[in-house]
């Protein structure tokens, strides 16, 4: 269970996106979920994502490698391809200043998700599925697993009638999306994400 008194507001840190894209999953260091990708086919994880996230009220969900930001084993309510809602290819967006001027930024959602797992936001904002979200809360808290209090970071990012929760362990992260009014759907998504993270830890995936 989450300890609510451990919540803290996000201290935004602007991070310059890299000039080149992060290494592809095939080239990345086999850490965290990259290692799982070599040991077990992605299809083996999809039933877990459906059971722990989609069937528990998330509109879509998946696993993330915090070291790379790579979304993994994504599923949604009506399809196994949850990546359609949770990820978009790199694209250029205009960012406006207070003076009304604008500049262009390259949005790399994989890199943005990697930074979000650390409770931060890249220059240009946090984008997911081609849509900009506002990271409003980061909780440095604990979950209960195997009789221990395990430190995690829980991130909330939202936009109008949509949002996501991230629960970040040391080498793994769980992502769950909610759709609809936050007061109706956000709690279910948060509960599902945290429960799945507890399950992963009990299974040895810290």
């Amino acid at each position: 269970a989450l300890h609510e008194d451990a919540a803290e507001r996000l201290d935004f840190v602007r991070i310059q996106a890299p000039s080149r894209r992060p290494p592809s999953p095939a080239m990345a260091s086999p850490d965290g979920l990259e290692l799982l990708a070599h040991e077990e086919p992605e299809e083996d994880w999809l039933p877990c994502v459906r059971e722990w996230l989609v069937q528990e009220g998330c509109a879509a969900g998946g696993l993330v490698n915090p070291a790379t930001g790579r979304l993994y084993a994504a599923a949604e309510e009506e399809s196994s391809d949850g990546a359609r809602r949770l990820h978009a290819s790199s694209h250029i967006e205009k960012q406006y200043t207070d003076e009304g001027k604008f500049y262009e930024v390259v949005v790399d959602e994989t890199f943005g998700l990697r930074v979000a797992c650390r409770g931060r936001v890249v220059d240009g904002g946090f984008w997911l599925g081609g849509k900009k979200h506002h990271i409003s809360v980061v909780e440095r808290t604990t979950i209960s697993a195997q009789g221990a209090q395990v430190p995690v970071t829980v991130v909330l990012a939202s936009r109008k009638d949509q949002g996501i929760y991230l629960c970040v362990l040391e080498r793994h992260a769980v992502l769950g999306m909610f759709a609809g009014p936050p007061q109706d759907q956000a709690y279910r998504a948060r509960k599902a994400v945290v429960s799945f993270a507890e399950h992963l830890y009990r299974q040895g995936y810290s």
Side-chain angles (χ1 to χ4, degrees):
L2 285 173
H3 294 263
E4 303 292 346
D5 58 352
E8 62 179 37
R9 286 289 171 180
L10 173 63
D11 179 18
F12 283 94
V13 178
R14 298 294 177 181
I15 299 177
Q16 182 64 42
S19 57
R20 293 188 297 177
R21 295 180 56 80
S24 65
M27 297 173 60
S29 174
D31 180 39
L33 286 173
E34 299 292 351
L35 180 60
L36 297 180
H38 292 290
E39 294 181 344
E40 303 178 53
E42 181 171 355
E43 290 77 11
D44 290 351
W45 283 100
L46 288 174
C48 294
V49 171
R50 294 193 194 99
E51 176 184 356
W52 287 90
L53 298 178
V54 178
Q55 294 178 12
E56 293 299 320
C58 293
L63 301 174
V64 177
N65 182 349
T68 64
R70 187 171 73 89
L71 179 67
Y72 180 74
E76 60 177 292
E77 292 172 311
E78 300 178 357
S79 170
S80 296
D81 187 16
R84 293 184 302 174
R85 299 184 70 174
L86 298 176
H87 181 76
S89 300
S90 295
H91 55 283
I92 296 176
E93 294 286 345
K94 292 181 178 179
Q95 298 294 311
Y96 290 88
T97 67
D98 293 338
E99 292 77 25
K101 299 180 181 180
F102 72 86
Y103 59 97
E104 293 183 337
V105 295
V106 176
V107 176
D108 185 330
E109 294 191 5
T110 299
F111 181 71
L113 194 52
R114 172 188 174 189
V115 175
C117 285
R118 291 157 173 76
R120 300 179 179 181
V121 60
V122 297
D123 187 30
F126 177 65
W127 292 72
L128 202 68
K131 298 179 180 179
K132 190 174 184 178
H133 292 65
H134 175 61
I135 296 181
S136 56
V137 177
V138 171
E139 300 176 60
R140 314 291 186 183
T141 184
T142 60
I143 59 175
S144 300
Q146 296 181 323
Q149 296 300 310
V150 182
V152 297
T153 299
V154 177
V155 179
L156 168 63
S158 60
R159 53 182 287 115
K160 184 179 180 180
D161 291 338
Q162 180 178 304
I164 64 104
Y165 269 104
L166 270 172
C167 186
V168 187
L169 294 160
E170 182 179 355
R171 294 191 302 162
H172 304 81
V174 179
L175 186 154
M177 170 181 283
F178 60 87
Q183 62 270 25
D184 298 330
Q185 304 298 328
Y187 174 77
R188 296 180 64 190
R190 171 175 163 155
K191 181 179 179 182
V193 164
V194 171
S195 295
F196 193 14
E198 291 174 338
H199 172 72
L200 287 176
Y201 188 87
R202 288 194 296 268
Q203 299 303 312
Y205 300 111
S206 61

